[in-house]
Amino acid sequence: MYAVIQLDSENHRLRPKRVKMEFVCKYCNRTFNKHYSLLIHERNHLPTVNYRCEMCYKSFKRQDSLQQHRSTHSPNYRAGYALQL
Amino acid sequence: MEEQETMNKTLPLAKKQKINDSEYRLVDLNVDTISLNLTKHCLCQLPETCMLKEVFRVSNVSSWSKERLLNFLSSARLTCDIALKQQSEGTICTSVERLSNYLISNKTGIVNEVVSLLTRTDPYISYAASNALAEIFVCSQNKIDNVWVEELTDLFLRRSPETLCPVISVFKRVLCWRDSQMNDNEKNIKMPENCVSRKVIFEDDEIEMDDEFGISLVKTKVIEVLQTQWQLIVLKFIRYMSSFDHCTDLNTEQFTHKMGHIAIIEFIKLWTSMVSIKTNLNVMNIKYFYADLGQMLILLRRPKVQPVVWKNIINLFNESLCYTTTLAVQGTMQEEPCMLARELVKVVKTKNMLNNMPFRKGPGEFGGGEEDEGDKKLLQDTVLLILKAVATIIKETRNESSSSDSSSDESEDSEEIDAEMAIIESSVNEVLRKLDACVKKCMSYLPETQIAQWIVQLFSDRNDVLIESMICTIDISLVLCYRRNSLPMLRQVLNPTASLVEFLQTLSYNNDLNEIILDLLLGSDTSFLLYIMRILKFICNRWSEFCLCCDTKLQSTMATLMGLQTSLDQLIKNNLTPYNLNPVLRLLVKCNNLYSGIAVINI
């Protein structure tokens, strides 16, 4: 992502005007006026991300789900599970 | 062994025009040995008899037998495949790299021969040639020869459509390379310990940034050559499609017709991939491919277009009208998709495009659906396309009005824009009326069900399309329903609150509503981020109307939004979000503050 500053050549001498920013998509070069609009757009270029557990290779759509899952591999969790049984 | 070694030294294969039997055996032996070793990802430990340099220094392969040719093409493909995988991993076996370089250097014109093999009548050979050529193109990167692409484009233009599937397949595989890249399981290649490998260093930082290993250069070159002939290629296919008007049953078709039919589908799919945002092509490069979309629109007005062709044309238009991914968030929209949107609305309104939709025509396996159930996906795609077209037109008009100079003639301008909006409103009203009638005819929904509600029911099995359609209805209603002298009925038809309530109702049948919403928001497979921004802004700006419309569902809707706020707050604090979600959180806080205000008053 990079921004290009555009000046209004006709009016900027007459009165102070808000500087227009252009945000350019690094994948397809389409331009956007707002940074967040570019973020919304660029997410469509990205492949779907899956978070994968290093121990059992189970994958999750979210990082917090993976964190929660990781705890199931910890010895404490297993001990707790055994006690429950 | 010794005999073969002496043969290698005395008879350089590339220089000989005629190859005798023993040389045949030598080439085969080389190819077999290399293919076997390539599966181990290293060619450093080849037997001395195997001459790496000679494998692809052959000519006149067209005269080879089918088995030898298939073996040769497979090894060419495998070589490039392994080289690309190792390159993407960052470490490449130097022998594999040398072998792929020998192939790409094309000393004996072998690549040109592979291009000509695409037109072979034997489907196995043309298929193997197509796969090999695509890998050669991608592997060649900055060494790609324009002549290869020109020869390929020339085939696309000159050869009859029945023979074009392998040619189209090369273009598609190259241009969509990113999508077909190896998955995680195929990565982490382990090379033998004694392999002489080197680290891959990217010479140009730009290349590394644009694409992992300079494939964007290949794509650009292919696009540049193809765009010069695209108009003629489109014309050729449209003429060819006209010849299908008399053919109603695919099962009784001749073989050539069937192949031609497949080629038409593949051609439309290639076009769809080129304009698709997922292919990551530069917008300036794909500009030319938008120009002839109107020609395809004419086909939808014909009553006898095959259902599968219809479906693929709709897919092509849906990808071209990239509303929720791009147009909805752009300040200045591209002219080409806007033009397509205008044409589409015109065709729906005046040419009864929806009447020609083959919802219940044709055998199920080729699209068209069963007699009783109909083709729901076709209906879904068509409905989404029309909603996107309407939203695009409205956004275009609104953009024009906001960009016009307001310093002078303000009242005159606003009157003019208002008059223009009134015309658009009446057109949109007519289009939506036709759409509503069509959907209710196909899906037997209750007559009183409004568009805002039936979109959730119609798209309930496809999250991505459902969210896209809900964004469209918000955008259409925000401009049309809240302007001066707007038609009151439109506000009810497209009510975004009704869609939201229906959507949450549908999701609530699952165990954990909050988890599903978080998955939608954090994943990149739907446009949910844009939807939540739009709907939250709508709720904040029209709070009283929202409360009124939610009625008994207000408490459960707000409970969901409050749950989402708590979860997002935690995720942001723990730095577990893949992108900046603070704007969404701010809007959620604002909504919940408004609700708290109400709650206090009620107490």
Side-chain angles (χ1 to χ4, degrees), chain A residues 43-46, chain B residues 178-179 276-280 319 524-525:
Chain A
R43 277 167 49 78
N44 295 288
H45 285 293
L46 302 170
Chain B
R178 214 188 145 103
D179 298 334
S276 169
I277 190 168
K278 293 266 178 213
T279 315
N280 294 2
E319 285 295 339
S524 59
D525 35 11

Side-chain angles (χ1 to χ4, degrees), chain B residues 257-315:
Chain B
H257 246 174
K258 269 191 180 168
M259 290 311 291
H261 204 97
I262 296 168
I264 291 171
I265 309 294
E266 288 305 310
F267 164 70
I268 302 172
K269 281 184 178 169
L270 168 69
W271 201 350
T272 311
S273 315
M274 286 194 295
V275 293
S276 169
I277 190 168
K278 293 266 178 213
T279 315
N280 294 2
L281 294 172
N282 190 314
V283 69
M284 292 316 285
N285 284 336
I286 58 169
K287 220 174 153 65
Y288 289 90
F289 300 97
Y290 270 94
D292 300 297
L293 286 170
Q295 303 264 2
M296 300 299 277
L297 202 55
I298 299 166
L299 286 173
L300 297 189
R301 284 157 51 183
R302 288 189 188 162
K304 278 188 178 174
V305 175
Q306 290 283 346
V308 67
V309 175
W310 226 90
K311 199 186 264 184
N312 279 285
I313 295 175
I314 295 289
N315 281 348

